[in-house]
Structure formats: structure tokens, C-alpha cells
């Protein structure tokens, strides 16, 4: 994700370079005049796109487009319902460092069995994928990347990652926010999060939604919003099994914030086996929904630990280093079990 000033600076530099070389990036729009093949020039207003070009899908009720060979773009904007089918052996590369690569204002599905490759800049600044509020971007194709390339949801709609073969190596990051709306990421198989070492919440009101069965997630959960209260940063378990998280839960920005673990079905549960801590500023830990949240790891935070809704929050480990209050809302249960120790 980039700021406007840095984006303009880079665009000016890029424009100067392009002018010097005598080469221009193309704006090419899908027409489908011949058939549904991405790789045929007659289906585009100007040319078959490649990395460096801007691609537009607009002015049609809907379309289904097949990528039959390797292709690419720097920016793809989709203003209509679209199914994009990446055929076997085909890779669609969207490459614009850590800036916008895909924006959609209607429901879009990217199917396999081919591969979607996304770029990155550095650290957790990956290519921005931006479904608009109220829309769904479903990615059934394999998502890959190189170096530290991860997956960044920079929009206000919902992204569904469905492919258990995803192998991008970088962090999953949620950065979209406008008012009381943030990014929503949904998955049913923990393998769909690729080789990411962590899920990083960096936008207010962002949410991760798990819809699968009992499973184990070996990733850190990092809370990095700039909010004094967390503004409803949430991890939902919408299935009926237990999602065990073995990584740490950590506050990693200079603001106090809360994260809520919410199993919505009475049969659903979270188990947190890693340490719950605040490397920077205060972290607040909440349970909500109807199921159980069990914290087996050490809890060493400055904020509240609170059960809400009709949830059951159980601490079994050492919470003696936590300095915030323990609170149980009416209709909930807060249990100190086993070797639990509080300060």
C-alpha cells in the first residue's frame, strides 16, 4: 500500500524513464470481439496485455474469459461481473510492486487450474488487491509469488481464498478501511493461506473468517491497526469445529487495540497455544459469539481480557504478567483452569 505523494513521485520517475526510452504502457480494454481467449489480439481494443499495461473490463453485462497461455498486466480494473479462467499451465502475472494491481467493482471469480502471481515491494507491502465494498472476489486459482511476496487485501469487499495449493511466502495483510468498513478475508482450508508466516491486521474494522472444520493454523496473528480501541478487529470461526492457532498473538504498532476471537456456533471454538503479548503498546483480548475460546499460552498484555456475547473464555496458562482487568459480561463464562495464574 502506497501513499499518494510517494505514488506520484514514483509515477513521475516512471514516466520520465518511459519517455526517455520512447516506450509507453498501453491501456487496453476487453471487447471479446472474437471469442473468450485472453491471448487473442482481436479480443482487445489495442493489444494483448503484458506486464506494464493497464487492463480494463467494462461496458458488458458479464463475461467469461480464458487465459490460455502466460499473460500479465500492471493494473487490472474490472467494472462488471467477470469469471477469469486460468487454464492449465498458464500464469497470469499482476506486477506493480506494492501498489494497486487489481480493483473490482462487481463480483469476480478467478478460476484455475492455472496460477495467479502477485508482486511485492518489501516487507509486508504487497501488491494491492481491492474489491469494492459489497462485492466478492473469489480466487480458486493457485496464488503464488516470489521473494517476500504475500497477499494484501486493500479493499472494502470480501476476498475468498479457496486453493489449498497456494504457496505465496509472505504475510497475509488486511489494509483496507473507510469509515466503519474494513477488509474481509474468508477461507475454509488453512492451506489456502499459503506459506504466510502471519496474518497482519493493518486496517480498522478488518475481519478474517474461517469456515472450515477442525484444523490447526501455524501462523502468528499480528494486530497493527492505528486505532486506540481496535475498532472491531475480529477473527471469526463460522464452522462447527475447533481452529487451533499455534502462533503468537501480538500487538505490533504504537497504538492500543483489541482483537476479538469469535466462534459463532456453540460447537465452534478457538484454541490459542502461542503467547499473547503486546510488543508495542496495549493489546486487549476479547472472546465473543456462542462458542469457546481457550488460551493455553502465556498471556502478558496491558489491556482488558474480556468475555462477551454468550462465549466461554478459558485461561489455562500464566497470565501473571497481564495488568489489565479480567471481565465477564452477563451471559458469558470466564474460567481460570489448570495452572492458570493471574497478576
Amino acid at each position: 500500500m502506497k501513499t499518494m505523494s510517494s505514488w506520484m513521485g514514483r509515477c513521475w520517475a516512471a514516466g520520465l524513464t518511459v519517455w526517455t526510452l520512447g516506450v509507453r504502457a498501453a491501456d487496453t480494454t476487453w471487447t471479446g470481439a472474437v471469442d473468450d481467449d485472453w491471448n487473442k489480439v482481436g479480443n482487445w481494443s489495442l493489444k494483448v496485455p503484458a506486464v506494464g499495461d493497464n487492463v480494463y473490463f467494462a461496458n458488458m453485462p458479464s463475461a467469461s474469459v480464458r487465459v490460455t497461455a502466460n499473460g500479465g498486466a500492471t493494473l487490472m480494473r474490472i467494472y462488471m461481473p467477470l469469471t477469469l479462467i486460468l487454464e492449465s499451465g498458464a500464469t497470469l502475472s499482476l506486477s506493480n510492486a506494492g501498489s494497486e494491481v487489481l480493483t473490482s467493482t462487481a463480483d469476480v471469480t478467478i478460476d484455475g487450474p492455472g496460477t495467479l502471481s502477485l508482486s511485492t515491494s518489501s516487507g509486508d507491502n504487497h501488491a494491492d488487491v481491492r474489491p469494492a465494498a459489497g462485492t466478492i472476489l473469489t480466487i480458486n486459482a493457485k496464488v503464488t509469488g516470489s521473494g517476500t511476496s504475500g497477499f494484501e487485501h486493500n479493499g472494502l469487499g470480501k476476498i475468498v481464498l479457496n486453493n489449498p495449493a497456494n504457496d505465496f511466502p509472505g504475510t497475509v495483510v488486511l489494509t483496507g478501511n473507510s469509515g466503519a468498513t474494513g477488509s474481509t478475508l474468508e477461507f475454509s482450508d488453512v492451506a489456502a493461506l499459503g506459506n504466510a508466516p502471519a496474518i497482519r491486521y493493518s486496517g480498522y474494522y478488518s475481519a478474517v473468517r474461517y469456515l472450515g472444520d477442525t484444523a490447526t493454523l501455524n501462523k502468528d496473528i499480528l494486530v497493527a491497526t492505528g486505532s486506540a480501541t481496535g475498532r472491531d478487529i475480529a477473527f471469526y470461526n463460522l464452522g462447527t469445529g475447533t481452529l487451533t492457532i499455534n502462533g503468537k498473538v501480538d500487538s505490533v504498532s504504537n497504538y492500543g487495540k483489541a482483537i476479538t476471537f469469535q466462534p459463532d456456533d456453540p460447537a465452534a471454538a478457538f484454541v490459542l497455544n502461542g503467547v499473547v503479548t503486546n510488543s508495542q503498546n496495549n493489546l486487549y483480548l476479547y472472546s465473543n459469539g456462542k462458542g469457546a475460546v481457550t488460551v493455553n499460552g502465556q498471556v502478558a498484555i496491558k489491556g482488558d481480557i474480556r468475555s462477551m456475547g454468550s462465549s466461554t473464555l478459558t485461561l489455562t496458562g500464566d497470565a501473571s504478567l497481564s495488568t489489565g482487568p479480567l471481565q465477564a459480561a452477563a451471559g458469558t463464562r470466564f474460567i481460570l483452569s489448570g495452572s492458570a495464574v493471574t497478576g
Side-chain angles (χ1 to χ4, degrees), residues 1-2 74-76 94 96-103 118-120 124-131 151-155 159 175:
M1 182 174 60
K2 304 296 185 185
T74 287
L75 172 61
M76 184 161 63
L94 301 180
N96 194 20
S99 297
E100 175 191 3
V101 293
L102 192 161
T103 291
L118 300 175
S119 62
T120 192
D124 292 331
N125 181 21
H126 312 304
D128 292 348
V129 181
R130 299 177 181 171
F151 189 92
E152 182 169 345
H153 185 343
N154 186 238
I159 295 179
T175 55

Side-chain angles (χ1 to χ4, degrees), residues 278 281-284 300-304 321-325:
N278 33 222
N281 217 296
N282 298 358
L283 180 67
Y284 300 76
I301 60 177
K302 299 175 184 177
D304 303 358
L321 296 179
S322 291
T323 56

Side-chain angles (χ1 to χ4, degrees), residues 40-157:
K40 285 186 180 178
V41 67
N43 286 321
W44 295 96
S45 63
L46 182 63
K47 56 173 284 194
V48 175
V51 171
D53 297 332
N54 300 325
V55 174
Y56 298 92
F57 289 89
N59 302 321
M60 293 183 183
S62 64
S64 179
V65 177
R66 295 178 302 119
V67 179
T68 57
N70 289 345
T74 287
L75 172 61
M76 184 161 63
R77 288 184 172 169
I78 304 168
Y79 302 112
M80 63 189 215
L82 175 69
T83 298
L84 195 60
I85 303 167
L86 313 184
E87 295 199 341
S88 181
T91 295
L92 180 64
S93 298
L94 301 180
S95 183
N96 194 20
S99 297
E100 175 191 3
V101 293
L102 192 161
T103 291
S104 53
T105 61
D107 291 346
V108 173
T109 299
I110 303 178
D111 279 334
T115 300
L116 177 66
S117 179
L118 300 175
S119 62
T120 192
S121 177
S122 61
D124 292 331
N125 181 21
H126 312 304
D128 292 348
V129 181
R130 299 177 181 171
T135 69
I136 302 173
L137 170 61
T138 302
I139 305 179
N140 298 322
K142 175 182 176 180
V143 182
T144 192
S146 59
T148 62
S149 179
F151 189 92
E152 182 169 345
H153 185 343
N154 186 238
L156 304 178

